[in-house]
Amino acid sequence: MLLVTGVSGALGSLVAERLAGRDDVVLGTRAGLPGTRPLDFDAPETLPAAFAGVETLLLISAGYGEDDVVIARHEAAISAAEAAGVRHVVYTSLSGDGDHLTYALAHRWTERRLRRSTTLDWTILRNGLYAELLTWIAAPDAQNRITGPLGEGRLAAVARADLADVAVSVATDPAAHRNRVYELVGERPLGGADLAAALGAAYAPGTLAEARAALAASGAAPFQVPMLASTYSAIAHGFMDGTGVERGHLRALLGGREPLDALDVFVKAVREG
């Protein structure tokens, strides 16, 4: 039996769609959706029943929160998996070139925790940043300008749908991927000028200070401001272009097909609003 967590989130919902109708798959969510198992990492008492009879766990990162909150959630999930006799955990982590991002720490802690387990096999899917994320950090303003402080940097963005396809492929055949780490970044890194040209917009990057102030004034949660500021900085200064990680894993795990074009995904998401 395969249990998929986080199916109310953006990536988890795509995974759930791809696995719909399979009698060897169960879905877990804190939202209590019909046909799912109640599962709340903030309420560890819900986990034994949720993990009962599960052989493979697709642990979609519960990354919305401060590091201590996220780590506590992942510790609860992994400990419960060990206690329930789960054999294999597939974890959606963060690409290896993302270590300068403020939200990398909880991912790397979780990877270490899985490696320390004496009972679990594991597979780590180091997901690149979503192409859809660019609609949040690089959408044109009312003057049709992209002002996000991306500098001359580029992002090896990847379509969320491709990451869902990979997660399904690996989680439904975990033995073939035992104790492997995969870097899942886009093949064509995109810069601010590329994004602007595709939309017929101007690229006029502002400063990190301006972006941080705008984020703080937007009503973002306190932990979100440094998260997004570090994303801008890491891209602008050349750490997220995919050159620092092993290439080719994404295409291979997609069965050799060409990944979706991240620029097309970005443009479509912006236009659909």
Side-chain angles (χ1 to χ4, degrees):
M1 183 73 70
L2 166 64
L3 170 64
V4 181
T5 72
V7 297
S8 59
L11 178 60
S13 63
L14 292 177
V15 171
E17 288 174 8
R18 287 153 172 76
L19 293 171
R22 291 186 55 148
D23 58 10
D24 60 345
V25 175
V26 291
L27 309 176
T29 176
R30 66 189 303 172
L33 300 175
T36 66
R37 290 188 180 185
L39 185 158
D40 186 348
F41 294 156
D42 292 327
E45 65 275 10
T46 67
L47 302 183
F51 289 5
V54 171
E55 295 183 351
T56 303
L57 171 65
L58 175 54
L59 176 59
I60 295 178
S61 172
Y64 188 84
E66 298 281 3
D67 284 342
D68 54 351
V69 173
V70 176
I71 287 171
R73 290 169 178 164
H74 291 177
E75 169 59 34
I78 295 169
S79 291
E82 290 170 329
V86 173
R87 297 178 182 177
H88 197 121
V89 174
V90 179
Y91 173 61
T92 61
S93 189
L94 175 69
S95 63
D97 59 6
D99 281 345
H100 294 277
L101 300 171
T102 59
Y103 42 99
L105 186 147
H107 287 291
R108 300 297 176 253
W109 181 94
T110 305
E111 292 181 11
R112 289 185 178 186
R113 174 65 178 84
L114 288 170
R115 289 187 173 100
R116 289 198 306 267
S117 178
T118 60
T119 62
L120 293 170
D121 290 332
W122 48 265
T123 307
I124 293 168
L125 305 178
R126 285 185 166 177
N127 290 346
L129 297 187
Y130 302 153
E132 292 86 348
L133 172 68
L134 290 167
T135 64
W136 291 91
I137 66 174
D141 62 14
Q143 288 74 49
N144 202 32
R145 303 173 305 158
I146 292 177
T147 61
L150 301 174
E152 298 301 315
R154 293 177 175 273
L155 172 65
V158 58
R160 190 185 288 127
D162 281 345
L163 296 176
D165 286 343
V166 168
V168 168
S169 175
V170 171
T172 53
D173 184 22
H177 308 281
R178 178 179 177 270
N179 297 356
R180 295 288 303 274
V181 178
Y182 294 112
E183 294 287 351
L184 305 175
V185 297
E187 296 182 346
R188 179 163 71 103
L190 302 173
D194 302 315
L195 305 178
L199 293 171
Y203 181 47
T207 66
L208 283 170
E210 290 168 341
R212 187 182 292 270
L215 291 167
S218 71
F223 72 88
Q224 292 178 308
V225 176
M227 285 178 67
L228 292 171
S230 75
T231 301
Y232 281 128
S233 186
I235 296 171
H237 295 102
F239 288 95
M240 300 298 297
D241 62 4
T243 59
V245 298
E246 185 176 352
R247 298 292 193 95
H249 291 168
L250 179 64
R251 185 181 287 258
L253 290 173
L254 289 171
R257 76 160 172 84
E258 185 175 357
L260 297 175
D261 187 281
L263 187 59
D264 288 347
V265 172
F266 165 75
V267 170
K268 181 180 179 182
V270 169
R271 290 178 175 165
E272 291 181 349

